[in-house]
């Protein structure tokens, strides 16, 4: 999810921060084994992170890796350019949408206890639940909330205050959310759906969402530095949020606030050490550090199985399981992934359970997105630590006739923090064997290709309906997007950064 106050065009277009050079300090809190191979791999990781910090104006980074028998935790740089304190393995960052997996884990504990059925309609638990479409309101299932196929407009970040009723009020407001695709049919990233899942947690447990997650996940796993509320982290070493202005990192205090009504979708603050403990639980047998069984092994496996509709979310996805992105690899091993985007706080998290591998990276700058692309979208980390790699993606040069079915105007909408409905359009045209696109915040009129318009983005196809994202310079930016076809086989949607644009 992304922060209010950022323009729709920047958010939906995947704007990239500028470059800068900063001085670095490193603080290592736990090292890997002393074998030459391990030392080399982690030295290379250090070098990549330190280079990216200088290049992308990232003041502070924390990294954690589990690779077989090795565990590596290290902090780099500082928490705050104005009041610099070294980052370490216990520095608190916002983890953004990785919070969704904590919501999913809580729901799965309830499933494991027989208190929730993933395939039951949401109305079994929330009888008054409704979005704008009556059929979707009645039929959408709990699983479809968690695998992002509920089909309604999901970019709703309204703030309903700090009261214990914030999540309930958010869900009650969803009657205005338009349906875009039938439940279960199409993957599109949906923040609002995870808030509904959080409300189900409240109703089933009889506790407010945050207390339920605390009791069912955070406390049993001894994640003592992972919290929902800012007053819980007083006294901790906290990573401030930074914007990138004229190539330099600048503290922006306005970036920190997060609406309580959206807590189930992205509000957790955590440390890289806690994130590795969380990864170890998901790689394990379902027991807490003290040996207490929290979930069956089957329930953990079920969270990363039975994916819904596939597509792309920066990387190519087989689909989503129970809140986990499931990503294919060339070696046919499943990569289990999430990450978080909130203004000034960018994070990544992935695992390859079959290789006993996990990695988490927390950053405190808008520039962190580029580092995360290098470590999580590209496959250096996967190849180096887990021996797996991305599916091949060789850009193709298509003919004008092959590109023609994809040309035209595609429009998406969202609701900002004030509840205002807005629209963004992409006009695609073929050029030199690729698609190039220009964006507009106020789409109206008919699509008329403008051969002279400077591109905002582009797409180089590497297989049918799937392409590598191109920046304004029409060079790859390290992410992937795809087109979705309708029931008649024609191109109906464009899926970019998890957001769905409808062809006009």
């Amino acid at each position: 999810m992304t922060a209010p106050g950022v323009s729709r065009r920047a958010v939906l277009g995947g704007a990239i921060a500028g470059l800068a050079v900063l001085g670095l300090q490193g603080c290592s809190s736990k090292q890997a084994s002393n074998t030459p191979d391990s030392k080399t791999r982690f030295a290379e990781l250090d070098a990549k992170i330190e280079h990216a910090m200088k290049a992308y104006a990232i003041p502070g980074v924390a990294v954690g890796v589990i690779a077989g028998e090795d565990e590596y935790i290290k902090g780099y740089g500082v928490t705050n350019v104005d009041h610099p304190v070294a980052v370490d393995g216990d520095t608190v960052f916002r983890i953004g949408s990785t919070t969704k997996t904590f919501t999913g884990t809580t729901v799965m504990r309830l499933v494991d206890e027989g208190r929730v059925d993933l395939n039951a309609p949401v109305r079994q638990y929330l009888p008054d639940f409704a979005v704008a479409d009556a059929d979707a309101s009645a039929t959408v299932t709990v699983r479809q909330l968690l695998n992002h196929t509920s089909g309604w407009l999901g970019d709703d970040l309204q703030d309903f205050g700090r009261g214990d009723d914030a999540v309930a009020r958010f869900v009650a407001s969803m009657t205005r959310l338009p349906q875009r695709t039938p439940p279960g049919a199409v993957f599109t990233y949906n923040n609002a759906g995870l808030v509904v899942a959080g409300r189900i947690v409240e109703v089933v447990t009889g506790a407010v969402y945050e207390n339920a997650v605390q009791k069912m996940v955070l406390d049993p796993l001894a994640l003592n530095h992972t919290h929902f509320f800012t007053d819980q982290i007083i006294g901790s070493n906290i990573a401030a949020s930074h914007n990138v202005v004229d190539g330099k990192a600048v503290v922006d205090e306005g970036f920190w606030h997060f609406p309580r009504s959206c807590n189930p979708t992205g509000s957790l603050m955590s440390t890289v050490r806690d994130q590795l403990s969380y990864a170890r639980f998901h790689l394990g047998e379902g027991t807490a550090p003290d040996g207490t069984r929290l979930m069956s092994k089957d329930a953990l496996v079920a969270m990363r199985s039975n994916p819904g509709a596939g597509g792309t979310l920066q990387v190519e996805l087989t689909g989503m399981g129970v809140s986990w992105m499931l990503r294919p690899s060339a070696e046919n091993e499943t990569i289990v992934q999430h990450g978080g985007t909130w203004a000034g706080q960018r994070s990544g998290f992935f695992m390859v359970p079959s290789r006993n591998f996990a990695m988490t990276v927390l950053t405190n700058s808008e520039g962190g997105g580029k580092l995360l692309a290098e470590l999580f979208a590209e496959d250096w980390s996967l190849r180096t630590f887990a021996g797996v790699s991305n599916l091949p993606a060789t850009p193709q040069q298509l003919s004008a006739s092959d590109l023609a079915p994809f040309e035209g105007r595609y429009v998406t909408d969202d609701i900002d923090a004030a509840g205002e409905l807005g629209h963004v359009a992409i006009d695609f045209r073929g050029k030199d064997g690729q698609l190039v696109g220009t964006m507009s915040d106020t789409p109206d009129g008919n699509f008329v290709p403008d051969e002279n318009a400077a591109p905002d983005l582009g797409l180089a196809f590497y297989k049918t309906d799937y392409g590598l994202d191109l920046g304004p310079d029409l060079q790859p930016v390290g992410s992937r997007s795809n087109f979705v076809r309708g029931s008649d086989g024609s191109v109906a949607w464009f899926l970019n950064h998890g957001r769905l644009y409808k062809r006009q």
Side-chain angles (χ1 to χ4, degrees):
M1 73 186 301
T2 45
V6 180
S7 75
R8 289 187 176 92
R9 187 172 176 184
V11 168
L12 299 174
I16 298 171
L19 310 182
V21 176
L22 293 175
L24 303 177
Q25 296 177 352
C27 182
S28 176
S29 53
K30 185 163 186 176
Q31 296 290 344
S33 64
N34 217 16
T35 64
D37 182 55
S38 291
K39 290 177 67 176
T40 298
R41 292 188 299 171
F42 289 110
E44 290 174 356
L45 175 61
D46 289 345
K48 288 183 74 70
I49 291 173
E50 290 168 359
H51 176 269
M53 291 173 71
K54 294 176 182 178
Y56 310 140
I58 311 169
V61 176
V63 66
V65 179
I66 297 169
E69 299 302 314
D70 286 338
E71 180 178 309
Y72 190 70
I73 296 175
K74 188 171 181 179
Y76 311 77
V78 297
T79 60
N80 185 318
V81 294
D82 295 334
H83 305 284
V85 176
V87 172
D88 60 22
D90 297 310
T91 299
V92 175
F93 295 77
R94 284 204 180 280
I95 65 169
S97 286
T98 303
T99 304
K100 291 178 172 68
T101 71
F102 286 78
T103 301
T105 301
T106 306
V107 171
M108 204 65 193
R109 281 210 65 190
L110 296 172
V111 171
D112 212 26
E113 294 172 359
R115 301 166 69 186
V116 170
D117 179 353
L118 289 176
N119 297 316
V122 168
R123 281 187 173 171
Q124 181 169 316
Y125 308 99
L126 308 177
D128 297 327
F129 173 74
V131 288
D133 185 87
D135 288 342
S137 303
T139 62
V140 67
T141 67
V142 178
R143 186 185 297 277
Q144 289 161 352
L145 300 175
L146 295 164
N147 68 18
H148 295 259
T149 63
S150 56
W152 56 70
L153 173 61
D155 285 323
D156 189 352
L157 303 178
Q158 286 195 86
D159 190 341
F160 286 91
R162 298 177 181 272
D164 286 352
D165 62 349
V167 170
R169 291 177 62 197
F170 181 104
V171 174
S173 79
M174 289 174 59
T175 54
R176 74 198 185 291
L177 296 185
Q179 197 70 21
R180 307 165 87 191
T181 56
V186 176
F187 164 73
T188 179
Y189 197 66
N190 198 300
N191 285 299
L194 266 291
V195 181
V196 180
R199 179 60 182 153
I200 291 172
V201 168
E202 291 188 328
V203 170
V204 172
T205 64
V208 295
Y209 165 78
E210 300 87 358
N211 290 351
V213 177
Q214 189 78 43
K215 181 179 179 180
M216 300 189 73
V217 178
L218 303 184
D219 286 345
L221 295 183
L223 304 181
N224 298 324
H225 298 284
T226 301
H227 301 288
F228 286 102
F229 300 112
T230 298
D231 60 3
Q232 296 172 309
I233 62 172
I234 299 300
S236 298
N237 192 26
I238 302 167
S241 303
H242 295 77
N243 203 350
V244 178
V245 180
D246 296 329
K248 297 182 179 180
V250 178
V251 174
D252 193 323
E253 296 175 355
F255 280 176
W256 186 260
H257 173 72
F258 195 97
R260 185 177 182 184
S261 45
C262 297
N263 274 6
T265 197
S267 72
L268 272 176
M269 298 163 285
S270 188
T271 68
V272 76
R273 194 183 309 279
D274 272 11
Q275 290 292 284
L276 272 201
S277 295
Y278 181 61
R280 197 174 296 108
F281 171 71
H282 275 280
L283 292 172
E285 301 294 322
T287 57
D290 65 1
T292 303
R293 177 158 297 284
L294 296 187
M295 292 169 58
S296 67
K297 175 70 171 179
D298 287 347
L300 284 177
V301 172
M303 287 190 68
R304 52 184 191 256
S305 306
N306 193 22
T312 55
L313 182 55
Q314 299 188 18
V315 295
E316 187 174 337
L317 301 179
T318 307
M320 292 194 73
V322 177
S323 74
W324 286 116
M325 302 175 195
L326 306 180
R327 176 176 162 188
S329 69
E331 295 75 17
N332 202 31
E333 302 288 353
T334 298
I335 303 160
V336 180
Q337 182 163 338
H338 220 291
T341 298
W342 191 248
Q345 301 269 327
R346 305 295 180 96
S347 67
F349 185 111
F350 62 9
M351 306 179 290
V352 182
S354 64
R355 304 293 174 92
N356 194 37
F357 164 74
M359 182 175 185
T360 180
V361 175
L362 309 178
T363 76
N364 63 349
S365 171
E366 284 290 276
K370 280 194 168 182
L371 169 61
L372 296 176
E374 293 177 1
L375 295 178
F376 291 88
E378 299 173 15
D379 59 9
W380 179 87
S381 301
L382 291 168
R383 287 186 286 104
T384 300
F385 296 109
V388 300
S389 54
N390 286 331
L391 295 177
T394 302
Q396 304 168 3
Q397 295 287 313
L398 300 188
S399 67
S401 60
D402 287 335
L403 290 171
F406 301 96
E407 292 181 321
R409 172 164 291 170
Y410 297 78
V411 177
T412 193
D413 45 25
D414 74 333
I415 297 176
D416 67 17
E420 178 187 353
L421 181 66
H423 306 277
V424 174
I426 301 175
D427 290 333
F428 274 123
R429 68 186 189 276
K431 182 179 180 181
D432 299 329
Q434 302 171 338
L435 283 178
V436 297
T438 54
M439 302 186 73
S440 169
D441 288 323
T442 55
D444 54 18
N446 296 320
F447 170 69
V448 178
D450 182 354
E451 296 297 330
N452 298 315
D456 294 305
L457 72 165
L459 202 73
F461 285 95
Y462 64 89
K463 69 177 184 179
T464 302
D465 296 339
Y466 282 73
L468 299 174
D469 293 332
L470 308 176
D473 59 357
L474 300 184
Q475 296 300 307
V477 296
S479 56
R480 307 183 186 195
S481 297
N482 68 283
F483 290 89
V484 179
R485 294 180 181 265
S487 57
D488 63 355
S490 64
V491 176
W493 301 90
F494 175 57
L495 184 64
N496 174 258
H497 290 257
R499 270 66 185 186
L500 204 59
Y501 293 71
K502 186 176 183 179
R503 189 175 188 187
Q504 298 296 92

